[in-house]
Amino acid sequence: MGTSQLHSLKTTPQWSAAKKAMTSVIKDHGNSQKQSKLMTAFRTAVGDTLYRGRGNGGGRGTFGRAGSHALGNVIQFISAVKSIGIGGAIDGLGLPQEDRPQDSKELIKALCGLTSVNADALHDDEAAVEAQEKLLSIIFEQCDSLADIETLLQQADADTIDGWILDYEVEYIMEYMGELFQSHIFDKNANPETVCSEIKQWLRSEIDNRLEDEMRHINVFSLEGKAYIDTLTARILDIWQ
């Protein structure tokens, strides 16, 4: 988890069940059945507030909206770099000249700054920004200049980009869960980073098994691909509905 702020866990019966499921995971490290039950409880607690794409409900303050927006920004930027180069892609961000990024850190900051959806979606926004920053930091880790980033993104094939997308979704879901469950995990004398890391490894494997082949048939830069990305968080959580 990237945030230091502790959020109060919601108190509905569904969120109480999710809290109990998290306790069970903490007590029995690496138990895939209990991790699966946690995801089912989390999906149930999110319920009808789960964002399902533009024009399909999922109003203000719902989980998945900011994540979709952030991931869409990343994919759009990659597409622009592939089409018109890093300079043109940065021009397309519409930033003032004084804010134009000169290195990878400044570029990450600029891209993450585009993520905010609305003030009512605080937890969702924070999770999206944290996940986006983590993903971009990993992608650009070996890039010393914007030219290096251009080469990396232009050479990235579909499988690589699909992998980045799934990595982002795992980080996003875990950041959101981490924000809500962090104080509860601390109450159980557990390390939040360790708990989330264990769940994250299991979740990435599960998503790979369910979606990896499906994504190979989707061009994420197409209109169909944009719609797929917009609903991906809901598609993932619906595995455990």
Side-chain angles (χ1 to χ4, degrees), residues 48-96:
D48 293 338
T49 67
L50 181 60
Y51 176 72
R52 294 190 173 279
R54 297 166 180 81
N56 293 307
R60 292 165 61 91
T62 57
F63 175 58
R65 184 178 177 87
S68 166
H69 188 66
L71 182 56
N73 284 340
V74 172
I75 298 303
Q76 183 177 356
F77 185 78
I78 294 173
S79 177
V81 172
K82 284 181 171 291
S83 299
I84 56 179
I86 190 76
I90 290 175
D91 288 342
L93 299 179
L95 301 170

Side-chain angles (χ1 to χ4, degrees), residues 10 59-63 65-66 116-126 176:
K10 300 173 184 180
R60 292 165 61 91
T62 57
F63 175 58
R65 184 178 177 87
S116 180
V117 174
N118 65 72
D120 293 337
L122 178 61
H123 295 186
D124 198 22
D125 276 357
E126 290 181 354
Y176 189 83

